[in-house]
Amino acid sequence: MEHISVLLDESVQALNIRPDGIYVDGTLGLGGHSEAIASRLTTGRLIGVDRDDRALAFAGDRLGRFGDRVTLVKGNFADLGALLDGVGVELADGMLFDLGVSSPQLDDASRGFSYMRDAPLDMRMDETAPLTARQIVNDWSEAELRELFRLYGEERYAGRVASAIAGRRLEKPVETTGELVEIIRGAMPAAALREKQHPAKRCFQALRIAVNDELGSLERMLEQAADRLRPGGRLAVISFHSLEDRIVKEAIRRREAGCTCPRDFPVCTCGFVQTLRSVGKPVVPGQEEINKNPRARSARLRIAERV
């Protein structure tokens, strides 16, 4: 499996790793970020979390040389508090979350994530989960599909795509990614097809988010993350589209400047207690990294520190 970890040096440096610290890689993937973190530990510990069995197996082999410095856990980072309780960790010194889909997931046709390869409509990160992209495409109403593509994909032609899907599935169910791409292409006006971006990208993004409850999971994780960091501990989150980034930005803002008192009040009476502070401006990949890994182009790293 080939995968290039995005913003690897920048995200690991953001954690201010101590050799004896406890760190969480909440999106283990194939272990690239985890390997860089674990290599900086001596008596410290790394907790790697993922809900993809294949990723856990591969990362387990890759990180095996670190022995008991690394603990791998299957789970959804939305359950961060319970996952840390399960491995006996109360507070961590740093947490990293890379919200992107790994290259092997995109490139493995059987997973159904990619609009570039024909495969069964699936898109589950946890292959034991019940909901698939096929069910959404064939069972959700036209109105539900329109809202899905509009909200989660920010697709300008959401109504046209939803209508085209609803029409096609009257003939037979939509079974594969290739069939769905064909329907989306057919629904797009000529001007949209001339755009640099693949016409199916936004709709596939929306389906992946819905199948895996990505935004809901992200919000739940962020609610728990600051509470499980030690004072001075760092939170680093890499997002890849504007919806994710807005959620991360707002979650940090609420913890940093969430006081609701009128500005002319001499003291805070709303009970707000600051728990995070932003560290620097969002970090984006340089041109050299983008040239090596075009999938990094839209990445944005936000860093916050527990106060």
Side-chain angles (χ1 to χ4, degrees):
M1 294 185 179
E2 181 180 359
H3 176 68
I4 303 173
S5 298
V6 174
L7 291 169
L8 177 61
D9 293 337
E10 294 87 344
S11 58
V12 173
Q13 288 172 9
L15 296 177
N16 279 349
I17 293 174
R18 297 187 357 241
D20 61 346
I22 297 176
Y23 297 89
V24 176
D25 182 351
T27 47
L28 176 68
L30 299 188
H33 289 108
S34 281
E35 184 175 45
I37 295 169
S39 66
R40 289 163 169 78
L41 301 178
T42 53
T43 58
R45 187 180 180 193
L46 171 69
I47 313 301
V49 178
D50 209 292
R51 47 183 167 171
D52 186 330
D53 288 312
R54 300 192 205 186
L56 286 163
F58 185 90
D61 290 340
R62 181 175 188 171
L63 303 173
R65 63 190 172 94
F66 297 110
D68 58 8
R69 271 183 280 171
V70 174
T71 302
L72 302 187
V73 182
K74 181 176 181 179
N76 186 332
F77 62 44
D79 304 315
L80 179 65
L83 293 173
L84 293 182
D85 289 341
V87 293
V89 171
E90 182 179 357
L91 297 173
D93 296 284
M95 299 184 185
L96 171 64
F97 300 90
D98 175 351
L99 305 179
V101 180
S102 70
S103 294
Q105 286 175 325
L106 288 171
D107 295 338
D108 182 350
S110 68
R111 306 299 296 273
F113 284 104
S114 177
Y115 44 78
M116 302 299 291
R117 300 167 184 267
D118 193 25
L121 271 171
D122 194 312
M123 301 192 189
R124 291 173 297 174
M125 291 184 179
D126 178 354
E127 293 176 280
T128 66
L131 183 64
T132 67
R134 183 193 182 283
Q135 289 172 266
I136 292 176
V137 168
N138 289 290
D139 297 344
W140 286 23
S141 70
E142 181 179 336
E144 288 172 325
L145 289 175
R146 181 177 64 247
E147 285 304 287
L148 171 65
F149 297 144
R150 183 181 69 83
L151 292 175
Y152 289 178
E154 300 178 301
E155 174 54 68
R156 298 190 305 276
Y157 305 106
R160 296 176 66 150
V161 173
S163 176
I165 291 172
R168 175 67 68 86
R169 70 192 187 190
L170 289 175
E171 304 169 12
K172 70 178 188 66
V174 182
E175 301 284 357
T176 71
T177 55
E179 291 174 24
L180 182 57
V181 168
E182 176 193 348
I183 295 168
I184 294 170
R185 282 187 184 277
M188 294 285 182
L193 296 177
R194 290 194 292 269
E195 293 178 1
K196 190 173 183 179
Q197 182 171 270
H198 193 285
K201 180 178 180 178
R202 291 180 289 266
C203 291
F204 271 61
Q205 170 186 298
L207 284 167
R208 191 196 77 230
I209 289 172
V211 167
N212 299 289
D213 187 26
E214 290 181 17
L215 299 187
S217 295
L218 176 58
E219 289 175 337
R220 294 193 296 274
M221 176 274 287
L222 291 167
E223 283 298 310
Q224 301 168 67
D227 294 332
R228 302 305 293 256
L229 282 170
R230 300 184 196 280
R234 291 285 184 87
L235 171 67
V237 185
I238 304 171
S239 60
F240 288 83
H241 57 74
S242 59
L243 287 171
E244 291 174 337
D245 185 55
R246 283 201 296 271
I247 290 173
V248 175
K249 179 181 178 181
E250 177 59 22
I252 294 173
R253 190 204 66 78
R254 285 196 305 269
R255 294 276 190 159
E256 182 173 31
C259 176
T260 58
C261 297
R263 292 188 178 183
D264 58 353
F265 270 31
V267 294
C268 174
T269 61
C270 72
F272 171 72
V273 176
Q274 182 182 5
T275 51
L276 287 178
R277 70 172 184 87
S278 299
V279 177
K281 296 181 178 180
V283 180
V284 298
Q287 191 58 51
E288 182 178 354
E289 178 171 1
I290 292 171
N291 290 342
K292 292 179 180 177
N293 181 18
R295 288 174 176 166
R297 183 178 304 278
S298 59
R300 180 176 293 252
L301 167 66
R302 290 188 183 271
I303 308 161
E305 185 173 277
R306 182 71 159 89
V307 297

